[in-house]
């Protein structure tokens, strides 16, 4: 019996289109000035990260930064929309502005997928981006993981000729 593998290929939307969309909807969302400065700065910084990812087309780090900026912005918007929304008895202009903020929030999930797709297309990998650094090479000598003696260091692990104390009074 043969196994069938399915591959899902998603349309790759240019980042300029999503940035233009989010900028326009964000401007509509702040027309009645019901938003706080934190909401405005969060969205402007997310758009700035997207502009960097758009301009620097070969940098996977810029696309990753945009991806992370969207995630942080989404978490902030969930809290913001829950706390600052005033229910009934408001004007139609206010309702339109809040509706645009909600539409902006919902469509950022789609932009998140496209940002991740651009990150992968630029050669990025989440496994490589968040991998912990294992052994490293010390400037003064080689690294041992068993706590042994290093080149250029005395038995206390300090550079030879130097004490672990910083002032002369503590040495005596």
């Amino acid at each position: 019996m043969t196994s069938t593998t399915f591959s899902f290929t998603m349309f790759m939307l240019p980042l300029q289109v999503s940035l233009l969309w989010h900028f326009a909807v964000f401007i509509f969302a702040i027309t009645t000035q019901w938003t706080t400065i934190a909401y405005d700065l969060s969205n402007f910084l997310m758009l700035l990260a997207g502009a960097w990812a758009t301009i620097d087309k070969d940098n996977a780090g810029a696309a990753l930064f945009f991806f992370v900026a969207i995630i942080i912005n989404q978490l902030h918007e969930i809290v913001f929309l829950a706390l600052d929304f005033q229910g009934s008895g408001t004007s139609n202009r206010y309702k339109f502005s809040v509706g645009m903020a909600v539409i902006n929030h919902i469509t950022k999930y789609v932009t998140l997928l496209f940002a991740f797709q651009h990150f992968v297309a630029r050669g990025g990998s989440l496994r490589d981006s968040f991998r912990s650094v294992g052994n490293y090479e010390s400037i003064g000598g080689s690294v041992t993981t068993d706590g042994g003696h290093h080149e250029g260091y005395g038995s206390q692990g300090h550079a030879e000729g130097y004490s672990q104390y910083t002032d002369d009074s503590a040495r005596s």
Side-chain angles (χ1 to χ4, degrees), residues 21-148:
W21 165 258
H22 287 294
F23 179 75
V25 176
F26 169 64
I27 294 300
F28 284 134
I30 63 172
T31 55
T32 58
Q33 297 157 352
W34 68 284
T35 60
T36 62
I37 191 71
Y39 176 82
D40 299 345
L41 286 176
S42 176
N43 276 286
F44 277 127
L45 290 174
M46 189 266 319
L47 290 170
L48 187 64
W52 176 35
T54 301
I55 292 169
D56 198 358
K57 295 184 185 303
D58 297 330
N59 190 353
L64 178 64
F65 190 77
F66 181 46
F67 179 75
V68 171
I70 294 172
I71 291 173
I72 292 170
N73 183 266
Q74 286 292 80
L75 295 173
H76 179 262
E77 280 187 358
I78 289 169
V79 172
F80 171 76
L81 292 174
L83 293 178
D84 291 340
F85 176 68
Q86 300 169 0
S88 62
T90 56
S91 69
N92 287 337
R93 188 173 176 191
Y94 173 79
K95 290 177 184 176
F96 174 76
S97 181
V98 170
M100 289 294 113
V102 170
I103 288 173
N104 190 22
H105 177 74
I106 291 170
T107 56
K108 279 184 189 164
Y109 291 109
V110 176
T111 303
L112 186 68
L113 293 174
F114 287 125
F116 182 72
Q117 188 178 20
H118 278 272
F119 170 65
V120 171
R122 294 176 186 189
S125 169
L126 287 179
R127 182 178 44 184
D128 295 336
S129 297
F130 296 110
R131 182 181 309 174
S132 65
V133 178
N135 288 341
Y136 61 92
E137 187 171 335
S138 175
I139 295 173
S142 63
V143 172
T144 61
T145 57
D146 60 356

